[in-house]
Amino acid sequence: MTTLEIDGLSVAYGAVRAVRDVSISIAPGEAYGLIGESGSGKTTVAYAVMRHLQADITARRLALRGEDLLAMDDRALARIRGRHVAMVYQDPMSALNPMLRVGEQVAEVLRRHRKLSAAAAWARCVTLFEQVHLPDPARIARRYPHQLSGGQQQRVVIAMAIACEPDLLIMDEPTTGLDVTTEAVILELIRELRASMGASVLFISHNLAVVANVCDRVGVLYAGKLVEQGTTQQVLHAPRHPYTIGLLAAIPRPELRVGSAHTRLRAIPGALPDLRQVPPGCIFRDRCAYAFDACAVAPTLTEAESGHASACHLRDIPPLPPEPAVAARMATADTQVTPRLAVSGLSKWFREGVSIPFVARARTTRAVTEVTLDIPAGKTLAVVGESGSGKSTLARCVAGLLTPGHGRVLLDGRPLANAVNHRRRADQQAIQFIFQNPESALNPHHTVAEIIARPLRLYARTDGTTTRARVAELLDAVKLGERHAGRYPRELSGGEKQRVCIARAFAASPSLVICDEPTSALDISVQAAILNELVDLQARYGTSYLFISHDLAVVQHVADRVAVMYQGRVVEYGTPDQVFASPNHPYTEALLAAVPRLDGTSRPRLDGPGAAPESGCVFHPRCLRKLGEVCETTLPSDAPDDTAHVLACHIPQRDLRDLQRTP
């Protein structure tokens, strides 16, 4: 019996026809990946299966284990949710009740569906937490959601979803926003659960490499239509629809960078169509590089080979030509005397709790310790590492949003005041911030024009005519037209909001822009467009970037220098070619091993970060290449080699190279 059968599913929110005639089937034990841009209808399909939508849902058949989901009343749906079908949501914090301990939330599911006693439900909850590899599960069960990291929250949500061993597990972007090692652990966990439970999985993601590591078959959704479907190997390695080809072409790859020149990423031009008035013909025609006259008639999803179907009139699609390199950046030299930004011996520690004599002692968290970095004019320094490694704390200290305990920050050779409100107006103008979440970074009550104009009025003190002209110029620079000037943030897509944030940052004519995970929540094509715009703007204005990210492919594409942080310290520093090729620090080696690949392979070697040790190398408790006592007692030096490649490791670089050549 098929676990999930979807035949002719259509979903409309009033006049918006979000999903149209989608058919999918998932066999017992099979993992089916659903990919596509934001707004393509992926989550709508999942919510339709869960019957969470207040929308017009129609289908020839929508069945779970042969039972008609559309015919079920509220009582019948309550019976199957959690027991036969469960969902892991994209944002674990919004899926957990902040007022209840996480163990109680999982135990509630077991009491309701399995009729277990309170004691038995709690014991089963602890076992589930152990199964999803949470450290000290009995202690974690007594914590509240805000006391857990993002990866731990996601594992709690997964434990809740698998508590009753459902027949179908729906996972909606379960690794978005997670660092690469946590993501690798979650993916390994999904594979383990499939093997042990035999559950079917509907896996929704915009990360194609993650899908390749999890799924047996893949469906590609565009503007509410299924445009391609087949095995993972067929769809991701021999695609037959121009949209799938475009998604794959937008992925950052090391070969797209030649020396200091950046080849443009191939973003899919245009945007999703207005689904209030669905255009006739092929839904992808207006954005397709191969469109021709026959595309005026809508193609049907037709099998091109066994198990591989495509909704395209073309059967043999030629490869896309490579994108040209961006314009040469403003002439700068790595050897210039005065760097744009210099950070020297920077430390930031946080004290948690209150010291009470004979009762409690405040805990000190060493967020950043003795960090020294610099960025030449017109160059990009990327900082990578797991969540909690100190990347964002470092960025906020540079911006003056946090006050460091020790160290100095210099801009063009001038020391900056620690707090932003103590800095000169010119220094405030010179450093601008692009935040990770554009939704919370934009004032919902202001139009796009008002948001971008504010730095112009604050720093340049321009008049109305000049301000309007400059706003139009900036909107054009980030590939938004003047038609967006009068819109509010709620009327924009996620990618459009991030472009507004970029335009606002450049409105101040900064010399340094801090980019804190600027593309982590964006789909592949929008990410490509944003990265292209950042590189173009750097070429035009000579702006330096401090680029914070956990996406190593993105970093490899945009960075001139890379700093790898762990537990607040820089453990490796060099060019992308040096950092991402052997020899590298054992921590960098583990990060690279955990990156999911399109060929479906990854080699996770680390499980969850622990506390920083009191002495020795900060990485020694997790290091697979630890030498022994010297790593536990002595902090390694970070002296560079002849190529200015810094490795804070007791193992000599030549020995590391030999070790890393060994499988």
Side-chain angles (χ1 to χ4, degrees):
M1 179 185 293
T2 302
T3 301
L4 178 66
E5 184 179 358
I6 301 174
D7 185 13
L9 175 68
S10 295
V11 180
Y13 302 98
V16 178
R17 299 168 62 190
V19 172
R20 300 177 312 288
D21 198 24
V22 168
S23 297
I24 292 170
S25 66
I26 305 178
E30 181 183 35
Y32 185 98
L34 200 55
I35 63 176
E37 293 171 287
S38 299
S40 60
K42 305 184 300 295
T43 299
T44 295
V45 170
Y47 279 15
V49 173
M50 294 293 294
R51 290 289 309 278
H52 282 332
L53 297 176
Q54 295 295 318
D56 181 17
I57 304 175
T58 60
R60 291 185 289 274
R61 184 165 175 77
L62 182 61
L64 178 70
R65 298 171 65 249
E67 294 187 69
D68 189 348
L69 291 168
L70 294 179
M72 291 184 181
D73 57 19
D74 290 342
R75 186 170 182 177
L77 289 170
R79 175 180 58 81
I80 70 162
R81 289 176 184 149
R83 177 65 187 89
H84 296 292
V85 57
M87 187 163 178
V88 177
Y89 299 89
Q90 179 174 353
D91 181 6
M93 194 61 186
S94 65
L96 296 170
N97 188 328
M99 304 300 292
L100 295 177
R101 299 179 194 274
V102 293
E104 173 57 30
Q105 297 183 56
V106 176
E108 180 184 10
V109 176
L110 292 162
R111 293 196 303 269
R112 177 182 180 86
H113 291 291
R114 289 293 182 89
K115 309 302 180 186
L116 297 183
S117 66
W122 186 265
R124 173 63 178 155
C125 164
V126 173
T127 301
L128 285 165
F129 282 1
E130 184 177 6
Q131 189 176 353
V132 298
H133 305 297
L134 281 167
D136 198 350
R139 180 174 56 87
I140 289 285
R142 298 189 178 278
R143 290 188 173 183
Y144 291 93
H146 72 273
Q147 295 174 305
L148 306 181
S149 69
Q152 289 173 336
Q153 290 171 4
Q154 192 64 283
R155 282 184 251 190
V156 168
V157 173
I158 292 173
M160 189 184 304
I162 67 170
C164 296
E165 299 185 358
D167 303 289
L168 177 65
L169 189 59
I170 300 174
M171 311 191 87
D172 187 8
E173 302 279 11
T175 62
T176 295
L178 300 181
D179 61 65
V180 65
T181 54
T182 305
E183 176 183 72
V185 170
I186 295 295
L187 296 182
E188 185 66 26
L189 171 61
I190 294 169
R191 286 190 285 267
E192 289 177 7
L193 294 174
R194 284 186 62 201
S196 62
M197 292 170 46
S200 302
V201 178
L202 175 58
F203 193 92
I204 294 168
S205 181
H206 61 248
N207 188 323
L208 305 189
V210 167
V211 169
N213 274 259
V214 172
C215 300
D216 304 304
R217 289 193 302 134
V218 176
V220 184
L221 206 61
Y222 177 75
K225 291 285 290 183
L226 197 65
V227 297
E228 185 166 3
Q229 184 173 237
T231 67
T232 302
Q233 179 70 24
Q234 288 170 332
V235 173
L236 299 185
H237 295 278
R240 288 185 171 271
H241 194 280
Y243 178 57
T244 313
I245 292 171
L247 291 177
L248 290 164
I251 299 173
R253 292 181 175 87
E255 61 267 25
L256 295 179
R257 181 191 177 101
V258 182
S260 61
H262 298 265
T263 300
R264 295 178 59 82
L265 295 171
R266 184 178 287 280
I268 299 175
L272 291 168
D274 186 347
L275 296 182
R276 291 171 295 185
Q277 296 179 328
V278 179
C282 174
I283 191 68
F284 188 59
R285 177 176 54 170
D286 291 344
R287 304 175 71 187
C288 182
Y290 306 99
F292 64 114
D293 293 345
C295 299
V297 177
T300 58
L301 192 66
T302 305
E303 196 168 86
E305 60 179 308
S306 179
H308 192 185
S310 171
C312 183
H313 293 296
L314 292 173
R315 282 293 169 261
D316 296 310
I317 304 176
L320 292 165
E323 285 281 273
V326 300
R329 289 182 288 180
M330 295 182 67
T332 57
D334 288 333
T335 57
Q336 69 180 66
V337 176
T338 305
R340 174 61 47 81
L341 176 76
V343 176
S344 176
L346 191 75
S347 296
K348 176 63 180 177
W349 295 5
F350 295 98
R351 292 176 66 82
E352 301 175 8
V354 179
S355 291
I356 302 174
F358 311 110
V359 178
R361 179 175 295 178
R363 177 187 172 191
T364 299
T365 299
R366 303 177 180 184
V368 174
T369 304
E370 294 293 329
V371 168
T372 297
L373 299 168
D374 62 71
I375 311 175
K379 300 292 185 179
T380 298
L381 169 67
V383 183
V384 303
E386 294 169 290
S387 297
S389 61
K391 307 185 301 295
S392 293
T393 300
L394 171 65
R396 282 162 171 74
C397 287
V398 170
L401 303 178
L402 290 175
T403 302
H406 302 283
R408 295 197 308 164
V409 178
L410 289 82
L411 184 71
D412 292 322
R414 304 187 315 274
L416 296 177
N418 285 336
V420 67
N421 57 321
H422 293 156
R423 293 179 180 176
R424 300 182 307 156
R425 182 179 292 270
D427 292 333
Q428 294 174 351
Q429 177 182 354
I431 300 178
Q432 295 296 308
F433 217 114
I434 300 172
F435 294 93
Q436 178 175 359
N437 184 2
E439 186 76 44
S440 60
L442 299 176
N443 190 324
H445 304 295
H446 289 176
T447 65
V448 167
E450 291 168 336
I451 290 168
I452 298 174
R454 189 169 186 273
L456 294 169
R457 291 195 295 266
L458 180 63
Y459 297 121
R461 303 186 185 279
T462 56
D463 58 30
T465 302
T466 305
T467 297
R468 285 190 293 273
R470 179 64 174 149
V471 167
E473 179 185 340
L474 287 163
L475 284 172
D476 182 65
V478 297
K479 309 301 187 291
L480 293 175
E482 285 190 69
R483 66 184 185 281
H484 292 86
R487 296 182 183 178
Y488 290 89
R490 64 178 179 273
E491 299 175 288
L492 305 176
S493 69
E496 288 171 339
K497 290 173 188 173
Q498 194 62 289
R499 294 181 206 201
V500 172
C501 290
I502 293 170
R504 178 178 59 184
F506 277 86
S509 300
S511 55
L512 173 70
V513 175
I514 300 172
C515 306
D516 189 3
E517 302 278 11
T519 64
S520 65
L522 303 179
D523 58 63
I524 294 168
S525 180
V526 175
Q527 172 183 269
I530 295 296
L531 293 176
N532 283 343
E533 284 149 21
L534 287 172
V535 174
D536 286 345
L537 290 166
Q538 185 176 59
R540 182 183 302 179
Y541 298 114
T543 310
S544 298
Y545 291 140
L546 177 59
F547 196 96
I548 310 294
S549 182
H550 60 246
D551 190 322
L552 302 187
V554 167
V555 165
Q556 205 162 357
H557 182 74
V558 303
D560 297 292
R561 302 284 290 181
V562 180
V564 182
M565 289 190 70
Y566 181 77
Q567 295 287 10
R569 288 187 178 273
V570 174
V571 297
E572 184 164 5
Y573 183 66
T575 67
D577 290 342
Q578 292 169 333
V579 170
F580 294 119
S582 175
N584 40 43
H585 191 278
Y587 177 57
T588 310
E589 179 188 8
L591 291 180
L592 292 169
V595 175
R597 295 168 175 79
L598 273 175
D599 61 7
T601 63
S602 66
R603 305 180 305 281
R605 302 183 182 187
L606 299 177
D607 189 5
E614 292 297 321
S615 62
C617 172
V618 289
F619 187 57
H620 84 254
R622 302 170 74 195
C623 184
L624 298 179
R625 303 200 183 279
K626 186 171 77 169
L627 296 174
E629 185 178 352
V630 64
C631 297
E632 298 173 356
T633 60
T634 307
L635 187 70
S637 67
D638 54 1
D641 65 7
D642 294 339
T643 62
H645 182 198
V646 175
L647 282 174
C649 184
H650 290 296
I651 305 173
Q653 290 197 25
R654 62 180 181 277
D655 295 343
L656 272 175
R657 182 181 290 109
D658 292 340
L659 287 169
Q660 291 166 358
R661 283 174 179 163
T662 305

